[in-house]
Amino acid sequence: MPVAAVDPLFLTNRQVLNQPASSTPRRQVAFGEAQAPITMAVLTTESVLTKTGGLGAIIGWTTDEFKRRGNMHPYVIAPFTEAWGKQVTAEAALGESEKTVHDTGVRFNYHLPSGEDLPVSIWEKEEPSGVVDILLRNDEVFSEAARRGEKPGPLWQRLTQVDKAKTAPKPAYMVGDSVASTYLFSAMAAQSLPILDGTIPVPAGSTPTPFWDQVKPKTKFDLAWVHDWLTGAAAPQLVKAYADAKAKAPAQVFMVHNSYNVPIALEEQVPPVRRGQKPTVKPGPLQDVLGLLNPFDKAQTALFGPGRFDKLLSRKSYNPLVLGIEMADGIIVNRNFSYEMQHTNLLANRRRSGQYAFDPSVTDLQGALKRKEQAGMAQDMIHATPEAENPYDHPALAKDGFVHLKRDPDLAAMTEYKRANKAALQADPGVGLATNPNATIFLFVNRYDWYQKGTQLMAGQIKRLMRDHADAQFIVYGMEKPGSNLTNLMLADPDLKQLVADKRLVLQNQFNGRDKILQAYAGSDYFVMTSYYEPYGISQLEAKAFGTIPIATAVGGLRSTIADPKWNGRGPDGQRETHRPKETVWTWNESEGASQTGLLVQPFDVKGHQDAVMVVQNALGSPTLKNKPARLEEAFDRLVTSDADRKALRDVDQKMAATLDRAMTMAVPARNQIRLNNLSYLKKHHQWADLVPKYREIFEKAIAAHATPATAP
């Protein structure tokens, strides 16, 4: 496929390395050759084919469908974490044929700058679909026990240096809760690929078991599918790993799932010993400890091509989200989310004393996205839920009084389905709701997250909703680890506890199994998503499938999949957008005039609200805080002192209240019509039979572009 005449930066790592070819030539998959198999490595920190989070769900579901439908062979490369160790221990007494996780007997060493070799063993787990999980094991690097301070060892002490050098907050779902160990996994994953696909021989010291021959790829990897900043650090390492093997690396497709920027300083300033001396600069712990590539080091630019990173503005931090985008032969990103990152203040949080801030070089991220879009290398994508998770025959709705929905339902069938399942949900003693056939049940299923998921938007409205509407009930299923000061306050709030005692509110800080969640979808009227940003969104699709109407903030993938005639087509300032091309405006319903499929909260000042919430979050954690507030509203009244923050809070509270009141006053027939609209929408836009070919087309384009030699800059 010819490459357009664009800036050489867009050509990413397509250049032909000045190295002798591998003895085993790479098989090229021509674009449009639909039946040619594609062998891909999927680099991720979440690998289980269950909903461990949005990233885990997308990877699990898509790779399963790729294997079933697309003549694609995905190998999921993931860390062997403590959870896998517990499974291995539990299976220790079983015969090899009965176990689910196996040691392949293959070993390799990751070389650290300290001179020591970090041993890595390769384990495998084959899923029922045939997808293979390749698990990289080093019990010190990927140890949750070390993070807890139990025998951390010298390596963990050095990893802590890297964590301290980061310039942005860490999320709670990294490998071992450590930025450094997450980046180290990325480097290990990149080093493992030429071993896995036979580009280089199995390293000395390995004793391969029969499971190695069963699971290793039969051909070279055509593609590395890299996911988010969590594995973005693998992008340049992958090129180096194959260059060291005197071979060309696979094509790369990078998928943007988040806006986290978690850079690590590339250099550190050492204070002068004497007055008048200038501080000295030394390499930061990124290289000293992890040995990751520095793409701004002139000695390493030959590997990536001259001028490869000249478009990046910052030279003082290593940002894997930006590097993953820049290195890719194609990226997958929700169009609305990409627009928000490029054109709004979503990522431009200002620094405040004691408050987190995003990477100040966010302009690098915005520029990288813009350049990929201009080069035609960015592709929009939507998702689908597993076909087995449906309201027509799922086993969860065949027990405990729940009922299935008839296929191709009419209004009468939908009305009976919701009535019966609401009664079953209220009758379940494990849920804890009062019996009230006239109740309107709201459902929130998400992690308690004040940074992305906007839990405070939901929690702050519950009391008002219950006060103003006697028939309102609310179910809150949160994550297992509340963690934050705001979450702890919410769980301890005496008014919320009283609503729990009155059986109008369910407030659980854990998920009680997939069946219980699906039953809650089936029995609830509305599903609430209060995200500050949402790259794709999966929960709103699950809710739609089970007849629950989504109420969501108008951001990213939520506004791409929810049609609300009152707010669709309005920008972050609430005004109708006229400056964007027609094909990029908001949602699919703009051109189709589609019927309503949910309720959108009027756009609000996301950054301003985040600022106010984080002021409270940090104040609650301060050891100097006296007379700690007992109630959520008291905390915000006392601790938020800025007029701008108060205005942002008041504005969003009013908009949330207006949307929830719209939901309460909507007549039952109108609700059921929206539910039928959603079933039609999912059938038309979210079917795996349609989505898998779209994914395959993206992969084929990237592989074809990667095979085209770059021109000189």
Side-chain angles (χ1 to χ4, degrees):
M1 187 178 88
V3 179
V6 295
D7 189 299
L9 179 67
F10 305 140
L11 299 176
T12 66
N13 60 346
R14 299 176 219 158
Q15 67 273 10
V16 177
L17 297 171
N18 295 320
Q19 303 279 359
S22 169
S23 58
T24 306
R26 179 171 307 286
R27 174 181 51 82
Q28 297 296 340
V29 180
F31 173 54
E33 189 182 346
Q35 296 305 311
I38 295 177
T39 302
M40 70 172 69
V42 184
L43 276 59
T44 176
T45 57
E46 294 186 25
S47 61
V48 187
L49 295 186
T50 55
K51 186 173 171 54
T52 56
L55 177 58
I58 288 173
I59 290 171
W61 297 341
T62 53
T63 53
D64 188 22
E65 293 295 334
F66 293 168
K67 190 72 175 180
R68 289 178 55 208
R69 301 173 185 270
N71 197 15
M72 292 183 272
H73 305 289
Y75 292 79
V76 180
I77 318 297
F80 186 106
T81 58
E82 211 163 275
W84 288 112
K86 291 177 180 178
Q87 185 165 347
V88 169
T89 300
E91 295 179 345
L94 300 177
E96 285 301 317
S97 61
E98 300 172 287
K99 295 178 180 178
T100 60
V101 184
H102 304 95
D103 185 356
T104 68
V106 176
R107 308 286 187 266
F108 68 93
N109 290 323
Y110 181 78
H111 305 293
L112 294 170
S114 62
E116 63 187 301
D117 287 334
L118 195 62
V120 182
S121 59
I122 298 178
W123 292 62
E124 68 84 25
K125 180 179 187 295
E126 188 168 1
E127 304 293 346
S129 63
V131 174
V132 176
D133 292 330
I134 301 292
L135 308 170
L136 305 183
R137 182 172 188 175
N138 177 284
D139 291 339
E140 185 175 3
V141 175
F142 307 137
S143 169
E144 296 175 28
R147 172 183 55 80
R148 294 192 298 265
E150 302 170 12
K151 300 180 181 179
L155 177 60
W156 254 96
Q157 293 173 10
R158 294 197 297 275
L159 295 181
T160 302
Q161 298 175 33
V162 181
D163 285 337
K164 289 180 178 178
K166 63 185 173 54
T167 58
K170 64 179 182 181
Y173 51 83
M174 296 176 300
V175 180
D177 279 0
S178 164
V179 171
S181 59
T182 301
Y183 289 177
L184 194 51
F185 162 72
S186 295
M188 291 177 177
Q191 189 172 329
S192 74
L193 261 59
I195 300 172
L196 290 166
D197 73 3
T199 297
I200 61 176
V202 171
S206 299
T207 307
T209 69
F211 294 101
W212 173 251
D213 290 329
Q214 291 178 24
V215 302
K216 68 179 182 181
K218 301 300 186 288
T219 62
K220 308 296 185 190
F221 286 118
D222 301 297
L223 179 80
W225 190 19
V226 184
H227 288 267
D228 220 29
W229 73 267
L230 290 159
T231 47
Q237 300 292 132
L238 194 61
V239 178
K240 183 178 186 302
Y242 278 86
D244 290 345
K246 304 187 184 307
K248 188 178 181 182
Q252 295 189 38
V253 170
F254 186 84
M255 192 164 188
V256 181
H257 295 268
N258 213 313
S259 63
Y260 276 118
N261 288 281
V262 190
I264 296 178
L266 283 171
E267 58 186 36
E268 293 180 310
Q269 285 195 345
V270 180
V273 177
R274 297 173 183 168
R275 182 179 297 179
Q277 288 183 334
K278 293 182 179 180
T280 58
V281 177
K282 70 173 186 177
L286 175 79
Q287 296 168 271
D288 274 0
V289 177
L290 304 185
L292 295 188
L293 290 172
N294 177 0
F296 307 121
D297 185 338
K298 292 186 181 298
Q300 299 179 19
T301 55
L303 184 63
F304 304 102
R308 178 66 181 78
F309 295 101
D310 284 353
K311 293 290 186 181
L312 297 184
L313 303 179
S314 172
R315 296 294 185 271
K316 295 183 179 180
S317 64
Y318 183 100
N319 189 326
L321 181 60
V322 175
L323 289 174
I325 293 172
E326 292 282 7
M327 292 293 298
D329 298 288
I331 67 169
I332 300 173
V333 59
N334 175 268
R335 181 176 289 173
N336 283 322
F337 182 58
S338 179
Y339 178 86
E340 290 167 0
M341 287 193 286
Q342 293 180 56
H343 297 91
T344 75
N345 60 6
L346 177 65
L347 300 180
N349 278 8
R350 58 187 180 275
R351 290 187 178 275
R352 290 185 176 183
S353 177
Q355 182 179 322
Y356 75 94
F358 282 97
D359 174 19
S361 63
V362 68
T363 48
D364 284 353
L365 172 60
Q366 294 170 331
L369 287 169
K370 183 177 181 179
R371 289 191 292 275
K372 288 296 181 180
E373 290 182 354
Q374 290 176 340
M377 299 173 70
Q379 301 294 326
D380 196 4
M381 182 54 70
I382 54 179
H383 296 293
T385 55
E387 292 180 350
E389 290 197 352
N390 66 71
Y392 311 114
D393 54 24
H394 195 281
L397 303 188
K399 59 183 179 181
D400 304 328
F402 289 86
V403 300
H404 289 123
L405 178 64
K406 295 180 179 179
R407 293 190 179 274
D408 300 318
D410 55 15
L411 277 173
M414 180 61 75
T415 301
E416 176 56 24
Y417 164 79
K418 295 304 290 188
R419 183 205 64 76
N421 287 322
K422 180 180 295 184
L425 187 63
Q426 292 174 336
D428 186 344
V431 176
L433 287 177
T435 300
N436 178 1
N438 297 319
T440 295
I441 302 177
F442 295 83
L443 173 65
F444 178 92
V445 180
N446 228 314
R447 64 180 183 266
Y448 293 154
D449 179 337
W450 308 88
Y451 164 73
Q452 177 188 353
K453 300 302 182 181
T455 310
Q456 189 275 337
L457 295 176
M458 173 274 304
Q461 287 293 319
I462 290 176
K463 295 182 187 181
R464 185 208 63 83
L465 184 70
M466 300 297 190
R467 182 191 68 234
D468 294 351
H469 301 281
D471 287 332
Q473 295 181 340
F474 219 116
I475 299 175
V476 180
Y477 287 152
M479 201 173 187
E480 295 87 341
K481 300 177 182 178
S484 77
N485 300 304
L486 277 168
T487 297
N488 294 332
L489 178 58
M490 181 182 76
L491 295 173
D493 188 302
D495 297 333
L496 294 179
K497 284 187 172 182
Q498 184 58 51
L499 289 170
V500 172
D502 295 339
K503 294 190 174 183
R504 296 185 64 196
L505 172 65
V506 176
L507 194 60
Q508 297 184 2
N509 64 337
Q510 62 182 355
F511 298 130
N512 290 327
R514 192 65 182 154
D515 282 2
K516 289 297 183 183
I517 291 176
L518 297 183
Q519 289 174 348
Y521 279 137
S524 298
D525 293 282
Y526 295 100
F527 179 74
V528 181
M529 289 189 76
T530 52
S531 303
Y532 290 129
Y533 62 91
E534 197 65 60
Y536 299 99
I538 292 174
S539 298
Q540 81 277 16
L541 302 180
E542 295 174 339
K544 285 183 174 195
F546 282 79
T548 306
I549 301 171
I551 299 174
T553 46
V555 297
L558 301 181
R559 74 184 195 211
S560 296
T561 54
I562 297 173
D564 183 351
K566 187 167 184 177
W567 299 123
N568 280 120
R570 297 186 182 276
D573 58 358
Q575 301 300 312
R576 179 165 290 279
E577 293 192 312
T578 58
H579 59 284
R580 294 176 67 189
K582 179 69 176 178
E583 65 271 14
T584 67
V585 174
W586 292 94
T587 61
W588 58 277
N589 65 296
E590 284 288 307
S591 59
E592 297 185 13
S595 302
Q596 186 172 1
T597 61
L599 287 79
L600 291 174
V601 179
Q602 183 180 358
F604 58 92
D605 180 4
V606 170
K607 183 183 73 67
H609 194 269
Q610 280 184 320
D611 284 347
V613 170
M614 293 310 298
V615 165
V616 177
Q617 164 74 5
N618 287 307
L620 288 173
S622 172
T624 61
L625 180 65
K626 297 180 180 179
N627 302 320
K628 184 176 179 179
R631 292 172 170 82
L632 276 170
E633 64 272 23
E634 180 187 351
F636 281 85
D637 287 344
R638 272 183 52 193
L639 302 176
V640 176
T641 57
S642 161
D643 289 341
D645 288 347
R646 287 184 176 276
K647 180 181 178 182
L649 289 173
R650 184 167 56 251
D651 176 58
V652 74
D653 282 341
Q654 291 172 351
K655 290 172 178 176
M656 280 292 299
T659 306
L660 293 174
D661 288 344
R662 280 179 65 199
M664 284 296 305
T665 57
M666 185 180 294
V668 172
R671 297 180 189 181
N672 288 327
Q673 183 58 58
I674 291 177
R675 292 170 181 136
L676 294 179
N677 294 343
N678 274 322
L679 296 182
S680 298
Y681 166 78
L682 293 174
K683 187 175 182 179
K684 185 173 183 179
H685 295 278
H686 293 266
Q687 297 296 307
W688 284 112
D690 300 322
L691 294 181
V692 170
K694 292 180 181 178
Y695 270 109
R696 184 179 176 98
E697 181 180 1
I698 293 171
F699 297 151
E700 287 179 339
K701 284 183 177 179
I703 293 168
H706 184 73
T708 305
T711 58

